């Protein structure tokens, strides 16, 4: 069925006049990205052209999506806003809290028991405030959104970094923190710096072993984990039109791994086919009526260098399958060079586990192509040498692929079907291992592979590839195996070669499902009660953060000087900590425990300046807070990359950290810090990072004149009595400075709602 059809009609009715106004102020042909952005301006018709990478702009997103781990904090904040219902269509999806351990049925039953308190809270708060609720087992948020809510030319924000998955259906879909979601649900504008534009021209057509996944794996190798920061990636060309809608979604999903704000494809026949196949023919008909607005102008694609800030061209006909990793999703290896890289770098060549599925690659097409290889293994008497798991993306996909026999094929190969949930992709994996610390290798069709992300073991070398390549290497049990050229020995001692994978973009008999897992909210939620037990270890009502005291911030103790990569996984780990996502104080006990301390190269071991002893980061922060002393965190490049989890910003705020000073920020995390009333600062000279010493007490001055574009000053008070200072940068605009002064954006929302 088509949800929110009236809203979509309204969006499309606005497109004509809003695009006309945008053309007038911009004065040149428009990219698809610009059309969607200008069509969603909070002010309505554009009155000025916005400068890419410079201008902060207010937008009016069409909808909000939240997954259960982040929805808890987002909705706890929304409850303070004072509204009777959400202002835009919103949904909650229970996908993160289900741990993969035994198999789908048992794991789901366990999750329903262990997480009952949280699920009941999310269901009741959704029921009260007009939010659609997708029950545990319904599927992973991004796959469910693609199947039910994404529409060409729309704008959505979601409290998960892989929200851009919806770009596969031509939607500008952006990952945000819960505070941003709270703003939009409360009826406020959503602010974003007008993005730069990266164009990716795709020519030719995929064939053989190559898949849509290989497009983004190659792009990640080109742009790195930082190359897309502050930019939207727009794919176009004959090659783009040849890709399935779900293949497009895979590419957009993993665009988060290059730091991109989001990624998007234009509306085409493949997208229309997917809409019709998922019972949304009405939306396809509406999109057809405005299709000239749902793709970039011809002049743009004829001369892309004139209209994009950067252009990349990839020939799909010659694209080789890739394997990316380990430890970072941008270390890209064509399959022909991967075996040599494994041996030269001393990575464990024996493959222990292969995992397919997740929000990135769990479409019908993905499953059917991987199943064609599993069937070959069975038919050719090949015994899979590594463990194999399959994570369907939604109940719709799972039910359909079971009906069509694919799950049975996987099980014959020795595969284990997991619940329709995130599972191992986000660390919710009770991995079976005889030595949980052993140096080992796994390969997944997931999206990111940071150290210890999947199984908590920093010695696990995780590689990312397409479901087809993952399945083939799992059969071989050998990372050096190239299925395009190599043979395998079967149980009869014969040399056999795997044929190219075959699959279907859409099921021939259509999709089917008995219970998709959707729960509609009450028409009148005023009588619905949302109860949070004050003694709960998993849910905690929020208290507002304190407003700025109106003076410079002085006497801050250095909490930690983080060395190297410090993702939101390092700042606020997932895995076993997911159960505390609704309890700020309890989850704060994981704050920065994964970050490496510059001064001793250890994790979760920092010097407490009050007693000179070394201890855990959260405990040290709590000691400073108890003594009435603020603290500061110093970090390296691209600090806060990865997941959108706002806990990575709320935990430091809760434990008395006043500022984060780094060489550079990942976009979502910087915004999350600002929303919580924190100071997010960057070194004007990256070399100043080296001047900060372990026993420093730090002042931040210039706050009485805090203004956009005006530097602040850091004063380092060293233990030997000497002091030195340097200037630091920030990207705060006037509104964000007000967030800081008020103690957080939510405080302003609350004040405005009461006014």
């Amino acid at each position: 069925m088509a949800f929110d059809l009236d809203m979509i009609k309204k969006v499309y009715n606005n497109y004509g006049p809003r695009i006309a106004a945008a053309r007038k102020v911009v004065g040149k042909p428009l990219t698809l990205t610009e059309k969607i952005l200008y069509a969603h301006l909070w002010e309505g018709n554009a009155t000025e052209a916005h400068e890419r990478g410079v201008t902060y702009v207010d937008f009016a997103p069409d909808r909000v999506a939240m997954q259960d781990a982040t929805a808890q904090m987002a909705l706890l904040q929304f409850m303070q806003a004072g509204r009777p219902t959400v202002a835009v269509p919103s949904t909650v999806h229970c996908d993160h809290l289900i741990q993969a351990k035994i198999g789908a049925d048992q794991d789901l039953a366990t999750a329903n028991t262990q997480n009952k308190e949280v699920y009941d809270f999310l269901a009741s708060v959704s029921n009260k405030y007009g939010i659609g609720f997708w029950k545990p087992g319904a599927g992973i948020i991004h796959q469910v959104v693609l199947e039910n809510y994404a529409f060409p030319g729309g704008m959505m924000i979601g409290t998960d970094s892989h929200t851009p998955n919806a770009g596969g259906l031509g939607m500008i879909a952006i990952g945000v923190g819960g505070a941003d979601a709270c703003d939009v649900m409360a009826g406020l504008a959503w602010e974003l710096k007008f993005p730069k534009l990266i164009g990716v021209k795709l020519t030719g057509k995929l064939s053989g072993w190559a898949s849509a996944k290989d497009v983004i794996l190659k792009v990640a190798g080109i742009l790195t984990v930082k190359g897309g920061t502050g930019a939207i990636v727009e794919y176009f060309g004959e090659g783009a039109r040849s890709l399935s809608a779900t293949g497009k979604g895979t590419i957009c999903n993993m665009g988060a791994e290059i730091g991109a704000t989001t990624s998007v494809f234009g509306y085409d026949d493949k997208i229309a086919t997917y809409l019709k196949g998922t019972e949304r023919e009405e939306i396809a008909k509406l999109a057809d009526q405005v299709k000239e607005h749902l793709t970039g102008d011809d002049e743009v694609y004829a001369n892309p260098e004139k209209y994009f800030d950067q252009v990349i061209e990839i020939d799909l006909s010659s694209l080789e399958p890739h394997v990316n990793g380990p430890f970072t999703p941008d270390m890209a290896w064509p399959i022909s060079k991967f075996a040599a890289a494994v041996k030269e770098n001393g990575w464990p060549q024996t493959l222990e586990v292969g995992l397919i599925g997740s929000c990135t690659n769990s479409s019908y097409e993905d499953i059917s192509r991987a199943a064609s290889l599993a069937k070959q293994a069975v038919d050719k008497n090949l015994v899979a040498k590594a463990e194999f798991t399959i994570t369907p993306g939604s109940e719709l996909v799972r039910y359909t692929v079971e009906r069509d026999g694919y799950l049975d094929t996987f099980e014959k190969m020795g595969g284990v079907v997991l619940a329709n949930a995130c599972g191992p992709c986000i660390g919710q994996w009770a991995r079976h291992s005889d030595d949980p610390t052993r140096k080992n290798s796994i390969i997944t069709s997931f999206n990111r592979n940071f150290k210890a992300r999947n199984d908590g073991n920093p010695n696990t070398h995780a590689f990312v590839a397409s479901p087809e390549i993952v399945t083939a290497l799992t059969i071989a049990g050998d990372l050096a195996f190239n299925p395009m050229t190599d043979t395998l020995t079967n149980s009869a001692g014969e040399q056999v070669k795997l044929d190219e994978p075959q699959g279907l973009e859409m099921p021939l008999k259509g999709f089917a499902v008995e219970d998709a897992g959707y729960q509609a909210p009450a028409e009148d939620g005023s009588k619905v009660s949302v109860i949070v037990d004050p003694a709960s270890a998993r849910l905690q009502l929020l208290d507002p953060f304190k407003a700025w005291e109106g003076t410079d911030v002085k006497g801050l103790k250095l909490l930690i000087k983080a060395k190297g990569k410090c993702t939101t996984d390092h700042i606020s780990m997932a895995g076993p900590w997911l159960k505390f996502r609704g309890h700020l104080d309890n989850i704060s006990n994981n704050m920065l425990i994964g970050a490496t301390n510059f001064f001793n190269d250890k994790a979760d071991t920092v010097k407490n300046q009050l007693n000179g002893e070394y201890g855990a980061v959260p405990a040290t922060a709590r000691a400073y807070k108890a003594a009435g002393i603020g603290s500061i965190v110093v970090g390296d490049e691209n600090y806060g990359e990865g997941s959108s989890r706002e806990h990575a910003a709320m935990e430091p705020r809760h434990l008395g950290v006043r500022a984060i000073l780094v060489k550079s920020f990942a976009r979502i995390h910087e915004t999350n810090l600002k929303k919580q009333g924190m100071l997010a600062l960057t070194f004007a000279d990256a070399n100043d990072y080296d001047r900060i010493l372990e026993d420093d007490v730090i002042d931040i001055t210039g706050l009485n004149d805090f203004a956009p574009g005006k530097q602040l000053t850091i004063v380092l008070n060293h233990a030997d009595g000497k002091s030195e200072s340097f200037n630091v940068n920030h990207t705060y605009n006037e509104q964000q400075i007000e967030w800081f002064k008020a103690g957080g954006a939510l405080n302003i929302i609350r004040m405005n709602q009461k006014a």
Side-chain angles (χ1 to χ4, degrees):
M1 62 175 287
F3 287 90
D4 309 307
L5 201 58
D6 289 341
M7 177 269 286
I8 296 172
K9 289 178 180 177
K10 183 178 178 182
V11 172
Y12 286 162
N13 287 339
N14 286 334
Y15 252 90
R18 292 198 175 187
I19 296 301
R23 287 192 196 285
K24 185 176 180 180
V25 298
V26 173
K28 61 181 180 180
L30 299 174
T31 64
L32 168 64
T33 301
E34 290 170 315
K35 290 181 180 181
I36 299 176
L37 292 177
Y38 278 105
H40 285 84
L41 294 178
W42 180 259
E43 64 177 330
N45 290 346
T47 57
E48 62 177 316
H50 297 293
E51 188 176 353
R52 298 176 190 171
V54 176
T55 310
Y56 280 95
V57 182
D58 285 341
F59 292 101
D62 301 313
R63 64 178 315 111
V64 173
M66 297 164 281
Q67 41 93 336
D68 51 356
T70 51
Q72 296 171 63
M73 197 59 69
L75 292 173
L76 284 165
Q77 292 178 84
F78 178 77
M79 289 170 66
Q80 297 186 16
R83 283 188 60 98
T85 187
V86 291
V88 301
S90 304
T91 53
V92 168
H93 305 259
C94 296
D95 61 358
H96 273 55
L97 300 179
I98 303 169
Q99 186 183 48
K101 186 174 184 179
I102 300 170
D105 293 341
Q106 300 97 316
D107 293 345
L108 181 58
T110 299
N112 277 320
T113 299
Q114 292 182 343
N115 303 316
K116 185 179 187 303
E117 179 184 14
V118 172
Y119 293 151
D120 287 349
F121 165 74
L122 292 174
S124 63
V125 76
S126 297
N127 200 28
K128 182 175 182 64
Y129 294 109
I131 298 169
F133 180 72
W134 290 81
K135 297 180 287 188
I140 307 174
I141 176 172
H142 311 304
Q143 182 69 23
V144 173
V145 165
L146 198 73
E147 294 166 357
N148 295 278
Y149 299 112
F151 67 96
M155 174 182 273
M156 177 180 73
I157 61 170
T159 59
D160 190 279
S161 55
H162 294 102
T163 299
N165 189 80
L169 284 192
M171 191 175 207
I172 290 292
I174 301 175
V176 300
D180 278 352
C182 182
D183 285 0
V184 175
M185 289 189 294
L188 302 182
W190 175 63
E191 182 188 68
L192 177 73
K193 184 182 288 186
F194 204 84
K196 294 183 178 180
L197 302 181
I198 298 174
V200 180
K201 181 178 181 179
L202 301 179
T203 61
K205 189 175 183 179
L206 294 170
S207 62
W209 284 88
S211 73
K213 180 68 160 236
D214 299 306
V215 176
I216 186 58
L217 293 177
K218 183 174 179 65
V219 169
I222 295 170
L223 289 176
T224 77
V225 292
K226 290 176 57 179
T229 302
I232 290 180
V233 182
E234 182 173 323
Y235 291 84
F236 61 93
E238 59 173 332
R241 293 189 294 274
S242 73
L243 297 171
S244 68
T246 51
K248 292 177 171 74
T250 291
I251 293 169
C252 293
N253 177 297
M254 202 173 158
E257 273 41 78
I258 58 173
T261 302
T262 193
S263 303
V264 68
F265 283 80
Y267 178 63
D268 58 20
D269 290 343
K270 296 285 190 179
I271 293 176
T273 297
Y274 185 77
L275 285 169
K276 294 171 185 175
T278 50
E279 299 184 4
R280 290 176 289 170
E281 187 170 0
E282 291 169 285
I283 296 175
K285 289 179 179 178
L286 291 172
D288 286 338
Q289 294 172 16
V290 293
K291 61 183 178 182
E292 72 272 19
H293 300 316
L294 303 179
T295 185
D297 289 336
D298 292 341
E299 300 93 327
V300 169
Y301 297 150
N303 297 285
E305 290 79 8
K306 291 175 59 178
Y307 302 98
F308 291 97
D309 298 290
Q310 181 180 354
V311 177
I312 296 167
E313 186 168 340
I314 297 174
D315 177 14
L316 300 185
S317 300
S318 60
L319 181 64
E320 192 176 341
H322 278 60
V323 179
N324 286 25
F327 305 133
T328 184
D330 59 350
M331 189 184 295
W333 305 97
I335 193 73
S336 60
K337 298 180 180 178
F338 182 57
V342 170
K343 294 171 182 176
E344 289 170 8
N345 289 284
W347 300 327
Q349 185 173 328
T350 299
L351 180 64
E352 297 196 10
V353 191
L355 308 97
I356 66 168
S358 83
C359 67
T360 322
N361 280 103
S362 57
S363 66
Y364 189 90
E365 181 180 27
D366 291 326
I367 297 295
S368 63
R369 282 174 63 86
S372 75
L373 295 169
K375 186 175 187 304
Q376 287 185 56
V378 174
D379 293 346
K380 296 181 180 183
N381 297 314
L382 290 167
V383 178
K385 299 292 179 61
E387 290 184 41
F388 189 45
T389 70
I390 305 94
T391 304
S394 70
E395 179 59 13
L396 182 72
V397 168
R398 189 212 64 79
Y399 187 93
T400 304
V401 297
E402 181 181 45
R403 177 201 68 189
D404 293 348
Y406 295 132
L407 296 189
D408 182 59
T409 299
F410 287 133
E411 289 172 353
K412 287 179 180 177
M413 178 186 143
V416 175
V417 179
L418 301 176
N420 313 323
C422 299
C425 185
I426 58 156
Q428 282 283 61
W429 184 22
R431 183 177 174 187
H432 308 142
S433 175
D434 55 1
D435 181 359
T437 63
R438 180 181 61 250
K439 187 177 179 183
N440 71 98
S441 290
I442 66 172
I443 190 166
T444 81
S445 69
F446 305 161
N447 39 43
R448 56 179 56 137
N449 58 342
F450 300 138
K451 185 175 290 188
R453 177 177 174 86
N454 302 120
D455 61 0
N457 179 6
N459 296 303
T460 293
H461 294 57
F463 298 89
V464 178
S466 68
E468 300 93 315
I469 293 297
V470 171
T471 304
L473 267 60
T474 301
I475 294 168
D478 184 355
L479 284 180
F481 174 66
N482 181 349
M484 298 175 66
T485 58
D486 299 344
T487 60
L488 294 169
T489 304
N490 69 7
S491 56
E494 302 164 331
Q495 292 298 303
V496 296
K497 190 171 184 293
L498 294 173
D499 300 323
E500 294 176 352
Q502 304 291 325
L504 298 167
E505 292 183 12
M506 302 284 284
L508 295 177
K509 293 186 287 185
F511 285 105
V513 69
E514 288 185 346
D515 179 8
Y518 175 69
Q519 176 181 299
E523 290 189 17
D524 178 8
S526 61
K527 295 181 174 58
V528 177
S529 297
V530 179
I531 300 173
V532 175
D533 184 349
S536 172
R538 298 195 62 174
L539 294 167
Q540 179 188 48
L541 294 177
L542 296 174
D543 293 321
F545 289 128
K546 292 181 180 178
W548 173 55
E549 57 267 62
T551 63
D552 287 337
V553 179
K554 297 184 177 182
L556 303 179
K557 301 292 188 183
L558 176 65
L559 180 61
I560 185 173
K561 179 176 175 179
K563 177 182 178 181
K565 189 182 284 285
C566 191
T567 72
T568 49
D569 278 322
H570 295 90
I571 304 168
S572 177
M573 288 184 176
W577 292 95
L578 281 172
K579 61 179 175 285
F580 297 125
R581 283 285 179 87
H583 197 294
L584 181 56
D585 191 58
N586 283 346
I587 198 170
S588 292
N589 288 323
N590 77 357
M591 186 189 74
L592 284 158
I593 63 176
T596 300
N597 182 0
F598 177 89
F599 299 106
N600 58 15
D601 279 328
K602 295 180 180 179
D604 201 26
T605 306
V606 295
K607 188 174 183 179
N608 182 333
Q609 293 188 39
L610 299 179
N611 58 24
E613 298 177 357
Y614 284 83
V617 181
T620 305
R622 288 184 187 277
Y624 293 151
K625 181 180 180 181
I629 299 170
S631 57
I632 183 171
V633 170
V634 174
D636 215 319
E637 297 281 4
N638 207 27
Y639 183 90
E641 69 174 285
S643 169
S644 67
R645 66 193 66 153
E646 66 180 331
H647 298 76
M650 295 185 76
E651 291 173 31
R653 183 76 163 98
H654 176 64
L655 294 187
V657 177
R658 300 296 302 273
I660 310 291
L661 171 62
V662 301
K663 294 179 182 178
S664 64
F665 282 106
R667 175 191 63 85
I668 298 177
H669 186 61
E670 182 180 23
T671 300
N672 285 345
L673 290 168
K674 292 177 179 179
K675 286 278 185 178
Q676 300 303 333
M678 294 275 283
L679 285 170
L681 309 174
T682 56
F683 292 100
D685 180 351
N687 293 318
D688 289 337
Y689 171 91
D690 298 321
R691 298 165 67 176
I692 295 173
L693 305 180
E694 189 172 30
D695 292 304
D696 281 350
V697 176
I698 299 172
D699 303 332
I700 303 173
T701 64
L703 288 172
N704 285 314
D705 299 314
F706 196 8
K710 187 174 183 179
Q711 292 181 318
L712 299 174
T713 300
I714 292 289
V715 180
L716 303 179
N717 301 295
H718 299 310
D720 61 4
K722 296 179 180 178
S723 296
E724 57 179 316
S725 64
F726 53 84
N727 291 335
V728 292
N729 298 329
H730 66 84
T731 61
Y732 287 75
N733 60 25
E734 291 181 359
Q735 176 178 273
Q736 293 167 348
I737 290 173
E738 292 305 310
W739 296 346
F740 167 73
K741 291 179 178 178
L746 186 60
N747 289 348
I748 293 179
I749 295 175
R750 189 184 304 104
M751 289 186 290
N752 290 341
Q753 201 67 40
K754 290 179 179 179

